[in-house]
Amino acid sequence: MRTDLDLGAVRAFVAAVNEGQFGFAGDVLEISQQAVSKRIAKLETHLGTALFERLPGGIVLTAAGRRLLPHARSLLAVAEEATVAVRGDAGPLRVAVLGERDVAMQSMRFYLDRSPGAEIEIVLSNAFDTSRDALMGGRADAAFARNHGGPRELPGHIAAVAAYLEPLHLVVGRDHPLAGRSAVSVGELRAFTVWVPGARVPSEWADFYRDLNAHTGIAIDTDKRRDDDTPSGVVAMFERIAASRTLATFTGDGFHNPWHPHVRRVPVVDPTPAYPHALLWDSTNTHPGLPGLISHVRDNYNSDLARDCWFPEADRALFL
């Protein structure tokens, strides 16, 4: 007699499809790569067919795997709905942001101030466990993130709306040659190197800065350290900027920078580079708090800036 499908194995299968590798699937499920492999092997044995081709660069669905995928997603969605129905409460809407200083956090505070009945749980992420990872791993119902770029393409069931175009400013110390300027043009910045150590991590923002370099010719330095072992982190980074005559970095106009009396922010113009933040969610998610947040984000997108800003071609269909 055949046993019922193991939801844990089905969840491992979907995670492997989403992430493209068993190791990445293990990361989002918070289990080992070996455990993912065992669960999928159990599912393949149960179904009597291979679901993946194992290749040196990752995994590819077989024809049987492609047939299973929509049903696997439906099974997980039904299981989630059943859990919610039994509990009688969907719980708070979990929204992932990259960090407390990020513009998305400011956006959520604005939303909560005007939506006193909304139940929101903020999921903080970082450069190595991003808001997109939180969404794909089921730890968040929605996420603020760029919906293009990054080491893994978003699957087709992830929906997106434009949330915020964030103009970039140059950050320099008071003794930097550009410190006294009211603005600096992209053409002038080609004579300088801009330090963006966060772009060394494979990510959607690293791809943004790669595109910015290709389009404008601005040199982007992604080294994590400069000349010594000064601790990393945004506060330490701003200390370095404040004390230097040569270092410069980028910051978004909505990013909550550490305050320093010797730091100067200079708008970048002609054109203004802008980072495209989107709100992402799983289109199969039926959480009752999602429609209100989606509507709020859609209605408050700063589309009036789009015409005068530069952002990557891949993002233009969503943001224009």
Side-chain angles (χ1 to χ4, degrees):
M1 177 180 287
R2 300 182 71 84
T3 58
D4 293 334
L5 286 176
D6 181 341
L7 277 179
V10 174
R11 188 168 285 107
F13 167 73
V14 172
V17 173
N18 290 343
E19 302 302 321
Q21 291 186 13
F22 289 171
F24 291 146
D27 290 342
V28 299
L29 294 174
E30 298 182 344
I31 60 176
S32 68
Q33 178 177 338
Q34 184 180 27
V36 172
S37 183
K38 284 183 176 180
R39 291 184 187 187
I40 290 173
K42 177 182 177 181
L43 185 60
E44 290 177 322
T45 299
H46 176 75
L47 295 172
T49 186
L51 300 173
F52 293 104
E53 293 181 36
R54 278 73 166 173
L55 303 174
I59 52 175
V60 176
L61 281 171
T62 62
R66 290 193 296 273
R67 291 193 296 272
L68 175 63
L69 182 58
H71 302 288
R73 293 198 194 282
S74 295
L75 280 173
L76 295 181
V78 169
E80 179 65 23
E81 289 172 5
T83 302
V84 170
V86 170
R87 290 175 178 169
D89 182 3
L93 183 72
R94 300 163 300 165
V95 181
V97 302
L98 190 59
E100 289 185 296
R101 296 181 180 276
D102 193 65
V103 67
M105 179 63 87
Q106 320 310 320
S107 175
M108 287 307 302
R109 287 181 177 135
F110 182 87
Y111 175 65
L112 288 170
D113 285 345
R114 287 152 180 79
S115 308
E119 294 186 46
I120 302 287
E121 177 184 328
I122 300 297
V123 179
L124 292 177
S125 53
N126 55 59
F128 300 98
D129 185 17
T130 69
S131 53
R132 287 191 355 178
D133 293 332
L135 175 63
M136 298 308 302
R139 300 189 302 280
D141 299 296
F144 283 92
R146 186 181 173 213
N147 67 317
H148 285 287
R152 295 181 293 281
E153 184 177 352
L154 289 172
H157 66 280
I158 298 300
V161 293
Y164 188 71
L165 272 177
E166 185 175 22
L168 296 188
H169 292 186
L170 191 72
V171 176
V172 296
R174 64 178 180 178
D175 295 324
H176 191 280
L178 297 175
R181 301 288 297 276
S182 59
V184 59
S185 72
V186 163
E188 292 173 295
L189 271 183
R190 295 192 188 104
F192 298 86
T193 296
V194 182
W195 183 36
V196 189
R200 71 193 299 269
V201 179
S203 58
E204 59 269 22
W205 57 86
D207 290 345
F208 169 86
Y209 282 106
R210 190 175 301 113
D211 287 346
L212 177 63
N213 165 260
H215 181 79
T216 65
I218 297 172
I220 306 293
D221 175 7
T222 63
D223 285 350
K224 187 176 181 181
R225 295 286 193 272
R226 311 270 311 202
D227 304 330
D228 62 25
D229 293 325
T230 300
S232 60
V234 66
V235 174
M237 182 178 177
F238 270 62
E239 291 282 351
R240 297 291 304 272
I241 295 289
S244 175
R245 295 174 177 271
T246 59
L247 284 181
T249 193
F250 283 126
T251 188
D253 76 337
F255 186 79
H256 190 164
N257 294 314
W259 188 83
H260 195 292
H262 300 167
V263 163
R264 306 290 183 263
R265 289 176 62 144
V266 184
V268 182
V269 297
D270 298 332
T272 296
Y275 191 87
H277 298 271
L279 178 70
L280 312 177
W281 71 96
D282 187 327
S283 60
T284 66
N285 190 327
T286 59
H287 195 291
L290 257 177
L293 178 61
I294 294 167
S295 178
H296 167 82
V297 169
R298 182 184 287 115
D299 291 346
N300 289 283
Y301 164 51
N302 58 338
S303 60
D304 52 305
L305 298 186
R307 193 182 315 177
D308 297 324
C309 290
W310 173 88
F311 47 95
E313 188 65 32
D315 301 285
R316 299 187 76 78
L318 184 66
F319 283 82
L320 284 178

